[in-house]
Structure formats: structure tokens, C-alpha cells
Amino acid sequence: MILYNSSPVFMLSQMSCYRLQNILTALPACVNITYNPQPCYLIFTSPPSNNSRVLCSGYSSKNQVKKMEAGHHDLSKVTVFGDPQLLQRKIDAVRLAGPAKLQVIADFDGTLTNYFVNGRRGQSSHGILKQGNAEYDDKRQALYEYYHPLEFSPTIPIEEKTKLMEEWWGKTHNLLIEGGLTYDAIKESVASSAIAFRDGVVELFEFLEERDIPVLIFSAGLADIIEEVLRQKVHRSFKNVKIVSNRMVFDNDGRLISFKGKLIHSLNKNEHALEMAAPVHEHFGDGDGPINDNASVKKRTNVLLLGDHLGDLGMSDGLDYETRISAGFLNDNIENNLSNYCKAFDVVYLNDAPMWGVVKLVSQMCSTVN
């Protein structure tokens, strides 16, 4: 045991922290707790005032997350910092440079959207698509069952795996064309889907839009579906949001005839594909033009990166950035992945947490420098 600000600090093993979690959550509110996994330590401070809240940056149940949302968005129980001091230095550097140097790069599925919807696993933007032809839906499902295990195989070299992903996406896109996918089918698929944005996403986009900070949504899925999800679930567009994803080309009858530009799959989803970016509002029919072209985006050398997989960290590979702050959403299988996520991301949000932690983080990055 050591002391931190006159408080006892207990150094614990990672597994000990997990085992103690259930005990700690049962402690009364008169005990103030802080938990950090790298290295793993607990700080017990003296009893706070009656209006103080228990702080414990471990993971909790979904019901606890809901309670925290209601309580001024207190996410301390689902927030873990890899290196708090390093993160603070990065925040200070971004704040000093100002909003004009900042951009946000975000994954879509499982990052901007909830991992769980109504207590069940939510759908991905690719997974919701039903093209109105059962034969072709079954063919695409067969491709998924064959290639998906290969995508995460630890024994396949990256070069070979990249070729396999190109095959998978190419075959899937061909099936969508051959099966006669229509835009009406996309709208119907989204309307009946189990997909939802995390609480706080709209407020995050609005905060960034007010400050002319661009948001690039990177997805190996389909841009047209993502736009339809935004249209149906958010009911508005944002002039600062661009989508880097596979974009469809429809004929005058609304039938898919081809795909535009280069193929984007799960292993090449980074800023090298920036030329694929298209502002959301252009496709929503809004009158205002984009506030940032691709050249100006690349000049923004401070990055906030949002993802739910370790591979999402590669989304900024094509950008020559000065400071990158990475926020990871660890939605499931927490005990097996927490250590790796804490090493890779500056801050990790657990148990399908809402976006309010990122909103607070961005507000700190954009606060006035004294």
C-alpha cells in the first residue's frame, strides 16, 4: 500500500481487480473509489460530503449505465483511462492548437451505433440489408459464413487476408447488382432494422458542427445505407459530416447498377480512401455546400479517433497528424479484451456506453485556453 494525496492506494493484479468489482459496487456511497487498470490500482479516499458520488472506473451492468445516463451523464463506472497523464497532455496540446486544427474520424457500426438494441445484439449497416430477393440474400449470407472467420483468423498473413477481403466485398457487391437491389429496398431494410445511434451522438455532431470541425465516418459497409440510417433515425443532416464508404450508383428507376470509386473493405478503411468521402448533406438535398474539402481536412493535424476494434486505429494511417486522441468502445467480452484496449486507446468506454463521455472529452479539447 502507498499513499496518494493522503489516501491509501492498493496495487492489485488485473485479475484481483475483476474479482473485487462486485464487492466494490456494494460499498456505500460514503466511500470514494478510483480504479485504473494500467497499472491496476484502487484509491480509497476519506468520506466525501453527502452530495458526493461514488467513482469507480470499472465496468458495470447495462442497468447501471442507464442510471448513470439519467444522473447527469456520469460515466465514471464505464470509463477506463490507459494513461491519464498522457491523455491530459494530449488534450492540452489540442486545446492550445484550437478547433481549426481538429478533425474527428469515427467508425460507424458499434461505435456511433449501439452494440445492443432493446437487449439484443444490434444489426450492422451491412447486416440490415434485405434486397427483396431471398435467393440472393441467402447467397450473401453464405459468403459471410465463409469469409467472416477468415477475416479474424490469426494465422492468415495480412497480404493474403487483404486479397480474401477484396474477394468477399467484390462478390457481395456483384450479388447486390445481380439481385436487382433497389433504393426502396434499402429504405424498407432500415425502417425494419434493429439499429440505433448511441445517446449523445446527435449532440456530439451538433457541437462539432457549430465549431466547423469535420467528422469523417469511415465504414467498410455501404454509404447509402448509412445515409438512410441518418435520415430515418436522426431526421437531419450535418454539413460537417462526410462518409468514407462504398457508394452505390442507381439508375432512374432506383435500381442498383454499379459501385462508385475504389472498393473499401475492413482492411483498407483509412484516410488513403479519403477521395471516396462525400458530404452527407449533398445526398440529403440540403442547399448549403461543404465547409471542408479533402485538402483542408488533411491540414487538420489533430485527430480524435473513435472506434470499437483495435483495427480501427488504422483509420488515421493516411494522415500526417501531430496529436491523436483515441477513444475505444469495448462493448462485449470485456474481461478478455480490457488490457489490450487500454494499451491501444487513450480512453475506453465499456458496456455499450453512450457517447456522453466523448462529448465531454471534445468540450475539454475545445475549451478556451487561459
Side-chain angles (χ1 to χ4, degrees):
M1 184 186 77
I2 59 176
L3 293 179
Y4 174 76
N5 288 341
S6 301
S7 301
V9 179
F10 296 87
M11 303 298 296
L12 303 171
S13 69
Q14 189 80 45
M15 187 54 64
S16 295
C17 282
Y18 293 131
R19 292 170 178 169
L20 281 174
Q21 184 64 30
N22 290 333
I23 299 174
L24 295 174
T25 54
L27 289 174
C30 64
V31 181
N32 208 9
I33 308 168
T34 301
Y35 162 59
N36 188 76
Q38 298 293 335
C40 189
Y41 59 78
L42 294 166
I43 304 175
F44 289 77
T45 60
S46 56
S49 58
N50 291 334
N51 60 357
S52 298
R53 288 173 289 187
V54 176
L55 301 178
C56 179
S57 291
Y59 54 89
S60 60
S61 70
K62 296 181 186 65
N63 289 334
Q64 287 173 305
V65 174
K66 292 297 182 183
K67 290 179 181 178
M68 286 184 288
E69 290 179 40
H72 306 291
H73 310 308
D74 178 7
L75 300 182
S76 58
K77 293 186 179 181
V78 290
T79 305
V80 181
F81 301 96
D83 185 336
Q85 293 180 339
L86 175 60
L87 175 58
Q88 187 59 56
R89 289 196 296 271
K90 289 184 176 183
I91 292 173
D92 292 341
V94 173
R95 184 170 63 243
L96 184 62
K101 298 286 287 184
L102 177 63
Q103 66 172 299
V104 176
I105 299 174
D107 172 58
F108 187 74
D109 294 312
T111 299
L112 296 179
T113 63
N114 283 112
Y115 189 81
F116 293 102
V117 177
N118 296 325
R120 302 181 64 181
R121 178 71 171 90
Q123 292 177 289
S124 69
S125 57
H126 226 305
I128 68 175
L129 183 59
K130 302 295 182 184
Q131 60 190 100
N133 186 320
E135 177 186 355
Y136 281 86
D137 285 337
D138 291 343
K139 287 181 177 180
R140 287 189 293 112
Q141 180 62 27
L143 289 178
Y144 174 86
E145 292 173 359
Y146 175 77
Y147 283 102
H148 186 257
L150 303 179
E151 180 182 4
F152 294 96
S153 171
T155 61
I156 300 177
I158 187 64
E159 296 82 4
E160 181 180 350
K161 188 178 292 188
T162 298
K163 292 180 180 178
L164 289 170
M165 295 303 100
E166 290 173 354
E167 287 180 11
W168 181 11
W169 261 255
K171 291 177 181 179
T172 298
H173 288 181
N174 287 336
L175 287 175
L176 292 174
I177 296 172
E178 293 173 12
L181 176 68
T182 64
Y183 199 85
D184 285 340
I186 290 177
K187 290 191 288 186
E188 293 172 4
S189 296
V190 173
S192 62
S193 68
I195 190 169
F197 286 99
R198 294 179 189 271
D199 286 346
V201 166
V202 172
E203 288 79 1
L204 174 65
F205 285 179
E206 289 175 343
F207 181 94
L208 297 169
E209 184 180 45
E210 290 173 359
R211 290 155 182 80
D212 290 345
I213 298 173
V215 179
L216 300 181
I217 298 176
F218 281 67
S219 175
L222 299 165
D224 304 84
I225 292 180
I226 294 173
E227 288 176 353
E228 188 61 31
V229 172
L230 283 164
R231 182 181 288 108
Q232 293 192 27
K233 306 299 183 180
V234 180
H235 309 296
R236 62 155 295 184
S237 61
F238 301 89
K239 64 182 180 180
N240 60 323
V241 175
K242 292 186 177 183
I243 296 176
V244 182
S245 188
N246 298 290
R247 188 166 294 281
M248 301 175 176
V249 178
F250 296 88
D251 63 18
N252 293 332
D253 296 323
R255 187 176 297 273
L256 176 65
I257 57 175
S258 65
F259 282 81
K260 180 180 179 181
K262 297 179 181 179
L263 181 74
I264 299 178
H265 55 77
S266 59
L267 298 183
N268 71 346
K269 187 178 66 172
N270 55 42
E271 285 230 8
H272 293 298
L274 189 57
E275 63 271 17
M276 296 287 292
V280 170
H281 66 276
E282 286 187 353
H283 299 271
F284 276 23
D286 293 349
D288 295 334
I291 61 172
N292 294 292
D293 57 26
N294 293 345
S296 65
V297 166
K298 287 194 173 184
K299 293 179 181 178
R300 291 176 175 261
T301 52
N302 291 328
V303 178
L304 172 61
L305 186 148
L306 311 177
D308 70 314
H309 289 290
L310 298 179
D312 289 334
L313 291 165
M315 291 189 297
S316 60
D317 284 353
L319 181 68
D320 185 18
Y321 59 82
E322 295 175 3
T323 302
R324 184 186 73 177
I325 295 176
S326 56
F329 287 85
L330 180 50
N331 300 307
D332 202 10
N333 198 16
I334 292 173
E335 184 166 339
N336 291 331
N337 292 307
L338 180 58
S339 178
N340 287 334
Y341 270 64
C342 286
K343 292 175 183 177
F345 291 96
D346 293 302
V347 56
V348 182
Y349 300 103
L350 310 176
N351 273 350
D352 207 17
M355 192 61 68
W356 298 115
V358 175
V359 174
K360 180 179 179 180
L361 180 62
V362 169
S363 67
Q364 292 173 335
M365 296 161 64
C366 295
S367 62
T368 303
V369 179
N370 295 326

